[in-house]
Amino acid sequence: MSDFDVDLFVIGAGSGGVRAARIAAGHGAKVMIAEEFRVGGTCVIRGCVPKKLLVYASRFADEFHDAAGFGWSVGETTFDWPTLIANKDREIDRLESAYVANLERSNVKIVRSRAVLEDAHRVRLLATGQIVRAKHILIATGGWPHPGADIAGLEHVISSNEVFHLKELPRRILIQGGGYIAVEFAGIFRGLGSEVTLVYRGDNILRGFDEDVRAHLRGEMEKRGITILTRRLVEAVEKVDHGLCVSLSDHEQVIVDQVMFATGRRPNVSGLGLDKAGVQLDDKGAIKVDRFSRTSVRHIYAVGDVTDRVNLTPVAIREGHAFADTVFGGKEIVVDHSDIPTAVFSEPEVGVIGLTEAEARHRYARVDIYKTSFRSMKMTLAARDTRSFFKIIVDGETDRVLGCHIVGPEAGEMIQLVGIAIKMNATKADFDRVMAVHPTAAEELVTMRTKAATYIREAAE
Ligand code: FAD
């Protein structure tokens, strides 16, 4: 009899774990996957998918408003939050069933339990106490919202985990955070009619994004009526008769119905038994892995948010797939984490790939910048004051496009396609050779001819 019950035990049935389990089983491995909450993980159950459904819901308000300029009389509109949430839940249930069916079809054994490491080869299922002996283990436990400092009244604060199940639409909401989840929910609630206050401790929202993108998005969000308070922190939340009283670090107080913190996520490693197995963490608390996603223990691997490399669903999926191909498929695959296109489903939307202007100027001797801001055609008759923004960053010596940054409708869709060109090392001349599709907003990508700036780095002494 084999020393092991399974060839692969996967902890966590989210984006990375599910893909790894299915591909490994396809290569002939005997696979078991444990999930303590719901199959599908953060993205499907309480991340990308439900969020995008809420984003869609929030955008109808603009459509109703804009229709008048095009001759439509829409009449009085009303919005019902419980209907949206119930329909969203039905779709999430359907997706979870599809994930379960796909795993079962691939001969992956699903166990509904929290799983923890007993040692480097044994996993304990907490639901039954059963011990499973595994030849290889994959840790794909994702991340978890981190509320920041332990302030007074933290029990009144929700995270992105709870926001999808609010009983009613808050009339007034305060969101703390400046990352993509914070700005996305600010846009969702504003679109659905809530009064929204965004509080962020830094200088501006979307830290790490191109400065022009940050400034443009902030301006557009403020035009939509979102109050953005930067260089401030929530210091306390107190329940009062008519809602929640939020005290800020500048001594201002704001009364709202709901407070949400989107202040970052941490690798989900607590109580996992990593020390018993000898799996090491890095200094930020993420599981340390090599370029094959192998941990400090030879037969234990980790993929996705728990490794805190690039915390996005397609990245977790790619890492899970590469792991399964490498360990069970006989082909060594290293995931390329460079130039990952990504979107922020704020209002307006953001799509970016590659270097920011600051990064490019730091790394390259000569950098050319092309950028434009304009009112898109639809906004003219809609009589809405919103502008789109496009920026292309080019290596002035080789003409290669180093980065592209878009703020405006369908930016996420556009950046996916720009991503193909950038991964092929397209030059600005390649962009310029492409005929424009007219009339579109995307034609700006191939019609920007005038440099907004050229930066030449001073030679080091
Ligand atoms: P997860 O999908 O988090 O899966 C981990 C699973 O492990 C979970 O199901 C968890 O219950 C389970 N688990 C944990 N510990 C154990 C244990 N001990 N035993 C058994 N099971 C366990 N990414 C995008 O690309 N685009 C987006 O638009 C986007 N929007 C997002 C919006 C929100 C609100 C959030 C929170 C995230 C969003 N993300 C988005 C990020 C994306 O969801 C994650 O990057 C992705 O889900 C990571 O996949 P993963 O496999 O690492 O972990």
Coordinates of all heavy atoms in Angstrom, one line a residue, residues 213-269:
V213 N -3.4 59.2 -13.4 CA -4.6 58.4 -13.2 C -5.3 58.7 -11.9 O -6.5 58.9 -11.8 CB -4.3 56.9 -13.3 CG1 -5.4 56.0 -12.9 CG2 -3.9 56.5 -14.7
R214 N -4.5 58.8 -10.9 CA -5.0 59.0 -9.5 C -5.7 60.4 -9.5 O -6.8 60.5 -8.9 CB -3.8 59.0 -8.5 CG -3.1 57.7 -8.5 CD -1.8 57.8 -7.6 NE -2.2 57.8 -6.2 CZ -1.3 58.0 -5.2 NH1 0.0 58.2 -5.5 NH2 -1.6 57.9 -4.0
A215 N -5.0 61.4 -10.0 CA -5.6 62.7 -10.0 C -6.9 62.8 -10.8 O -7.9 63.3 -10.4 CB -4.6 63.8 -10.5
H216 N -6.9 62.2 -12.0 CA -8.1 62.2 -12.9 C -9.2 61.5 -12.2 O -10.4 62.0 -12.2 CB -7.8 61.6 -14.2 CG -8.8 61.8 -15.2 ND1 -8.9 62.9 -16.1 CD2 -9.9 61.0 -15.5 CE1 -10.0 62.8 -16.8 NE2 -10.6 61.7 -16.5
L217 N -9.0 60.3 -11.7 CA -10.1 59.5 -11.1 C -10.7 60.3 -9.9 O -11.9 60.4 -9.7 CB -9.6 58.1 -10.7 CG -10.8 57.3 -10.0 CD1 -11.9 57.0 -11.1 CD2 -10.2 56.0 -9.4
R218 N -9.8 60.8 -9.1 CA -10.3 61.5 -7.9 C -11.2 62.7 -8.3 O -12.3 62.9 -7.8 CB -9.1 62.1 -7.1 CG -9.6 62.8 -5.9 CD -8.4 63.3 -5.0 NE -9.0 64.0 -3.8 CZ -8.2 64.2 -2.7 NH1 -7.0 63.8 -2.7 NH2 -8.8 64.8 -1.7
G219 N -10.7 63.4 -9.3 CA -11.5 64.6 -9.8 C -12.9 64.1 -10.3 O -14.0 64.7 -10.0
E220 N -12.9 63.0 -11.1 CA -14.2 62.5 -11.6 C -15.1 62.0 -10.5 O -16.3 62.2 -10.5 CB -13.9 61.4 -12.6 CG -13.3 61.9 -13.9 CD -14.2 62.8 -14.7 OE1 -15.5 62.6 -14.7 OE2 -13.7 63.7 -15.3
M221 N -14.5 61.3 -9.5 CA -15.3 60.8 -8.4 C -15.9 62.0 -7.6 O -17.1 61.9 -7.2 CB -14.5 59.9 -7.4 CG -14.1 58.6 -8.1 SD -13.0 57.6 -7.1 CE -14.0 57.2 -5.6
E222 N -15.1 63.0 -7.4 CA -15.6 64.2 -6.7 C -16.8 64.9 -7.5 O -17.8 65.3 -6.9 CB -14.5 65.2 -6.3 CG -13.6 64.6 -5.2 CD -12.4 65.4 -4.9 OE1 -11.9 66.1 -5.7 OE2 -11.9 65.3 -3.7
K223 N -16.6 64.9 -8.8 CA -17.7 65.5 -9.6 C -19.0 64.7 -9.4 O -20.0 65.3 -9.6 CB -17.3 65.4 -11.1 CG -16.4 66.5 -11.6 CD -16.4 66.5 -13.1 CE -15.1 66.6 -13.7 NZ -14.9 66.2 -15.1
R224 N -18.9 63.4 -9.2 CA -20.0 62.6 -9.0 C -20.7 62.8 -7.6 O -21.6 62.1 -7.3 CB -19.7 61.1 -9.2 CG -19.2 60.8 -10.6 CD -18.8 59.4 -10.7 NE -20.0 58.5 -10.7 CZ -20.9 58.4 -11.6 NH1 -20.7 59.0 -12.8 NH2 -21.9 57.6 -11.5
G225 N -20.0 63.6 -6.8 CA -20.6 63.9 -5.5 C -20.0 63.0 -4.3 O -20.5 63.0 -3.2
I226 N -18.9 62.3 -4.6 CA -18.3 61.5 -3.5 C -17.3 62.4 -2.8 O -16.5 63.2 -3.4 CB -17.5 60.3 -4.1 CG1 -18.5 59.3 -4.8 CG2 -16.7 59.6 -3.0 CD1 -17.8 58.2 -5.6
T227 N -17.5 62.5 -1.5 CA -16.6 63.3 -0.6 C -15.3 62.5 -0.3 O -15.4 61.4 0.2 CB -17.3 63.7 0.7 OG1 -18.5 64.3 0.4 CG2 -16.4 64.6 1.5
I228 N -14.2 63.0 -0.8 CA -12.9 62.3 -0.5 C -12.1 63.0 0.5 O -11.7 64.2 0.2 CB -12.2 62.1 -1.9 CG1 -13.0 61.3 -2.8 CG2 -10.8 61.3 -1.6 CD1 -12.4 61.0 -4.2
L229 N -11.9 62.4 1.6 CA -11.1 63.1 2.7 C -9.7 62.3 2.8 O -9.7 61.2 3.3 CB -11.8 63.0 4.0 CG -13.3 63.6 4.0 CD1 -13.9 63.4 5.4 CD2 -13.2 65.1 3.7
T230 N -8.7 62.9 2.4 CA -7.4 62.3 2.4 C -6.6 62.8 3.6 O -7.0 63.7 4.3 CB -6.5 62.5 1.1 OG1 -6.6 63.9 0.8 CG2 -7.1 61.7 0.0
R231 N -5.5 62.1 3.9 CA -4.6 62.4 5.1 C -5.4 62.4 6.4 O -5.2 63.2 7.3 CB -3.9 63.8 4.9 CG -3.0 63.9 3.7 CD -2.1 65.0 3.9 NE -1.4 65.3 2.6 CZ -1.9 66.1 1.7 NH1 -3.0 66.8 1.9 NH2 -1.2 66.3 0.6
R232 N -6.3 61.5 6.4 CA -7.1 61.3 7.6 C -7.4 59.9 7.9 O -7.3 59.0 7.0 CB -8.5 62.0 7.5 CG -8.5 63.4 8.0 CD -9.6 64.2 7.4 NE -9.2 64.7 6.1 CZ -9.7 65.8 5.5 NH1 -10.6 66.4 6.1 NH2 -9.2 66.2 4.4
L233 N -7.7 59.6 9.2 CA -8.0 58.2 9.6 C -9.3 58.1 10.4 O -9.6 59.1 11.1 CB -6.9 57.7 10.5 CG -5.6 57.1 9.8 CD1 -4.6 56.9 10.9 CD2 -5.9 55.8 9.1
V234 N -9.9 57.0 10.4 CA -11.1 56.8 11.3 C -10.5 56.5 12.6 O -9.7 55.5 12.7 CB -12.0 55.7 10.8 CG1 -13.1 55.4 11.9 CG2 -12.7 56.1 9.5
E235 N -10.9 57.2 13.7 CA -10.3 56.9 15.0 C -11.3 56.2 15.9 O -10.9 55.5 16.8 CB -9.8 58.2 15.7 CG -8.6 58.7 15.0 CD -7.8 59.7 15.8 OE1 -8.4 60.5 16.6 OE2 -6.5 59.7 15.7
A236 N -12.6 56.4 15.7 CA -13.6 55.7 16.5 C -14.9 55.7 15.8 O -15.2 56.6 15.0 CB -13.7 56.4 17.9
V237 N -15.7 54.7 16.1 CA -17.1 54.6 15.5 C -18.0 54.3 16.7 O -17.8 53.4 17.5 CB -17.2 53.4 14.5 CG1 -18.6 53.4 13.9 CG2 -16.1 53.6 13.4
E238 N -19.0 55.2 16.8 CA -19.9 55.0 17.9 C -21.3 55.0 17.4 O -21.7 55.7 16.5 CB -19.7 56.3 18.8 CG -20.4 56.1 20.2 CD -20.4 57.5 20.9 OE1 -19.7 58.4 20.5 OE2 -21.1 57.6 21.9
K239 N -22.1 54.1 18.0 CA -23.5 53.9 17.7 C -24.3 55.1 18.3 O -24.2 55.3 19.5 CB -24.1 52.6 18.2 CG -25.1 52.0 17.3 CD -25.4 50.6 17.7 CE -26.6 50.0 16.9 NZ -26.7 50.2 15.5
V240 N -25.0 55.8 17.5 CA -25.9 56.9 18.0 C -27.3 56.7 17.6 O -27.5 55.8 16.7 CB -25.4 58.3 17.6 CG1 -24.0 58.7 18.2 CG2 -25.2 58.4 16.0
D241 N -28.2 57.5 18.0 CA -29.7 57.2 17.7 C -29.9 57.1 16.2 O -30.6 56.2 15.8 CB -30.5 58.4 18.2 CG -30.7 58.3 19.7 OD1 -30.4 57.2 20.2 OD2 -31.2 59.3 20.3
H242 N -29.3 58.0 15.5 CA -29.7 58.0 14.1 C -28.6 57.5 13.2 O -28.5 57.9 12.0 CB -30.0 59.5 13.7 CG -29.1 60.5 14.3 ND1 -29.1 60.7 15.7 CD2 -28.0 61.1 13.9 CE1 -28.1 61.6 16.0 NE2 -27.5 61.8 14.9
G243 N -27.8 56.6 13.7 CA -26.8 56.0 12.8 C -25.5 55.7 13.5 O -25.5 55.3 14.7
L244 N -24.4 55.9 12.8 CA -23.1 55.7 13.4 C -22.3 57.0 13.3 O -22.3 57.7 12.3 CB -22.3 54.6 12.6 CG -22.9 53.2 12.7 CD1 -22.2 52.3 11.7 CD2 -22.8 52.6 14.1
C245 N -21.7 57.4 14.4 CA -20.9 58.6 14.5 C -19.4 58.2 14.3 O -18.9 57.5 15.1 CB -21.1 59.3 15.8 SG -20.1 60.8 15.9
V246 N -18.8 58.7 13.2 CA -17.4 58.4 12.9 C -16.5 59.5 13.3 O -16.7 60.6 12.8 CB -17.3 58.0 11.4 CG1 -15.8 57.5 11.2 CG2 -18.3 57.0 11.0
S247 N -15.6 59.3 14.2 CA -14.6 60.4 14.5 C -13.4 60.2 13.7 O -12.8 59.1 13.7 CB -14.3 60.3 16.0 OG -15.5 60.3 16.8
L248 N -13.0 61.3 13.1 CA -11.8 61.2 12.2 C -10.6 61.8 13.0 O -10.7 62.6 13.9 CB -12.0 62.0 10.9 CG -13.2 61.5 10.1 CD1 -13.4 62.3 8.8 CD2 -13.0 60.0 9.7
S249 N -9.4 61.6 12.4 CA -8.2 62.0 13.1 C -8.0 63.6 13.1 O -7.2 64.1 13.8 CB -6.9 61.4 12.5 OG -7.0 61.5 11.1
D250 N -8.8 64.3 12.2 CA -8.7 65.7 12.2 C -9.8 66.3 13.1 O -10.1 67.5 13.0 CB -8.9 66.3 10.8 CG -10.2 65.9 10.2 OD1 -10.9 65.1 10.8 OD2 -10.5 66.4 9.1
H251 N -10.4 65.5 14.0 CA -11.4 65.8 15.0 C -12.8 66.1 14.3 O -13.7 66.5 15.0 CB -11.0 67.0 15.8 CG -9.6 66.8 16.5 ND1 -9.4 65.8 17.3 CD2 -8.4 67.4 16.3 CE1 -8.1 65.8 17.7 NE2 -7.5 66.8 17.0
E252 N -12.9 65.9 13.0 CA -14.2 66.0 12.4 C -15.0 64.8 12.7 O -14.5 63.7 13.0 CB -14.0 66.1 10.9 CG -15.1 66.9 10.2 CD -14.9 66.9 8.7 OE1 -13.8 67.2 8.2 OE2 -15.9 66.6 8.0
Q253 N -16.3 65.0 12.7 CA -17.2 63.8 12.9 C -18.2 63.7 11.8 O -18.7 64.7 11.3 CB -18.0 63.9 14.2 CG -17.0 63.8 15.4 CD -17.8 63.6 16.7 OE1 -18.8 64.2 16.9 NE2 -17.3 62.8 17.6
V254 N -18.5 62.5 11.4 CA -19.4 62.3 10.2 C -20.4 61.3 10.7 O -20.1 60.2 11.3 CB -18.6 61.7 9.0 CG1 -19.6 61.7 7.8 CG2 -17.4 62.5 8.7
I255 N -21.7 61.6 10.4 CA -22.8 60.6 10.8 C -23.2 59.9 9.6 O -23.5 60.5 8.5 CB -24.0 61.4 11.4 CG1 -23.6 62.3 12.5 CG2 -25.1 60.4 11.8 CD1 -23.3 61.7 13.8
V256 N -23.2 58.6 9.7 CA -23.5 57.7 8.5 C -24.4 56.5 9.0 O -24.6 56.3 10.2 CB -22.3 57.2 7.8 CG1 -21.6 58.3 7.1 CG2 -21.4 56.5 8.7
D257 N -24.9 55.7 8.1 CA -25.6 54.5 8.4 C -24.8 53.3 8.4 O -25.1 52.3 9.0 CB -26.8 54.4 7.4 CG -27.6 55.6 7.4 OD1 -28.2 56.0 8.4 OD2 -27.7 56.2 6.3
Q258 N -23.7 53.4 7.7 CA -22.8 52.2 7.5 C -21.4 52.6 7.4 O -21.1 53.6 6.7 CB -23.2 51.4 6.3 CG -22.8 50.0 6.2 CD -23.5 49.1 7.2 OE1 -22.8 48.6 8.1 NE2 -24.8 48.9 7.1
V259 N -20.5 51.9 8.0 CA -19.0 52.1 7.9 C -18.4 50.9 7.3 O -18.6 49.8 7.9 CB -18.4 52.5 9.2 CG1 -16.9 52.8 9.0 CG2 -19.1 53.7 9.8
M260 N -17.6 51.0 6.2 CA -16.9 49.9 5.7 C -15.4 50.2 5.6 O -15.0 51.3 5.2 CB -17.4 49.7 4.2 CG -16.7 48.6 3.5 SD -17.4 48.4 1.8 CE -16.1 47.4 1.0
F261 N -14.6 49.3 6.1 CA -13.2 49.4 5.9 C -12.7 48.5 4.8 O -13.0 47.3 4.7 CB -12.5 49.0 7.2 CG -12.5 50.0 8.3 CD1 -13.2 51.2 8.2 CD2 -11.8 49.8 9.5 CE1 -13.2 52.1 9.2 CE2 -11.8 50.7 10.5 CZ -12.5 51.9 10.4
A262 N -12.0 49.2 3.9 CA -11.3 48.4 2.8 C -9.8 48.8 2.9 O -9.3 49.5 2.0 CB -11.9 48.7 1.4
T263 N -9.2 48.4 4.0 CA -7.9 48.9 4.3 C -6.8 47.9 4.0 O -5.8 47.8 4.7 CB -7.9 49.3 5.8 OG1 -8.7 48.3 6.5 CG2 -8.5 50.7 6.0
G264 N -7.1 47.0 3.1 CA -6.1 46.0 2.7 C -6.4 44.6 3.1 O -7.3 44.4 4.0
R265 N -5.7 43.6 2.6 CA -6.0 42.2 2.9 C -4.6 41.6 3.2 O -3.6 42.0 2.8 CB -6.6 41.5 1.6 CG -8.0 42.0 1.3 CD -8.5 41.5 0.0 NE -8.6 40.1 0.0 CZ -9.6 39.4 0.5 NH1 -10.6 40.0 1.1 NH2 -9.7 38.1 0.4
R266 N -4.7 40.6 4.1 CA -3.5 39.9 4.5 C -3.5 38.4 4.1 O -4.6 37.9 4.1 CB -3.4 40.0 6.1 CG -3.1 41.4 6.6 CD -1.6 41.7 6.6 NE -1.5 43.2 6.7 CZ -1.4 43.9 7.8 NH1 -1.5 43.2 8.9 NH2 -1.2 45.2 7.8
P267 N -2.4 37.8 3.9 CA -2.4 36.4 3.6 C -3.1 35.6 4.7 O -2.9 35.8 5.9 CB -0.9 36.1 3.5 CG -0.2 37.4 3.3 CD -1.0 38.4 3.9
N268 N -3.9 34.6 4.3 CA -4.7 33.9 5.2 C -3.9 32.6 5.7 O -4.1 31.5 5.2 CB -6.0 33.4 4.4 CG -7.1 32.9 5.4 OD1 -6.9 32.8 6.6 ND2 -8.2 32.6 4.8
V269 N -3.1 32.9 6.7 CA -2.3 31.8 7.2 C -2.5 31.4 8.7 O -1.9 30.5 9.2 CB -0.8 32.2 7.0 CG1 -0.4 32.2 5.6 CG2 -0.4 33.5 7.7

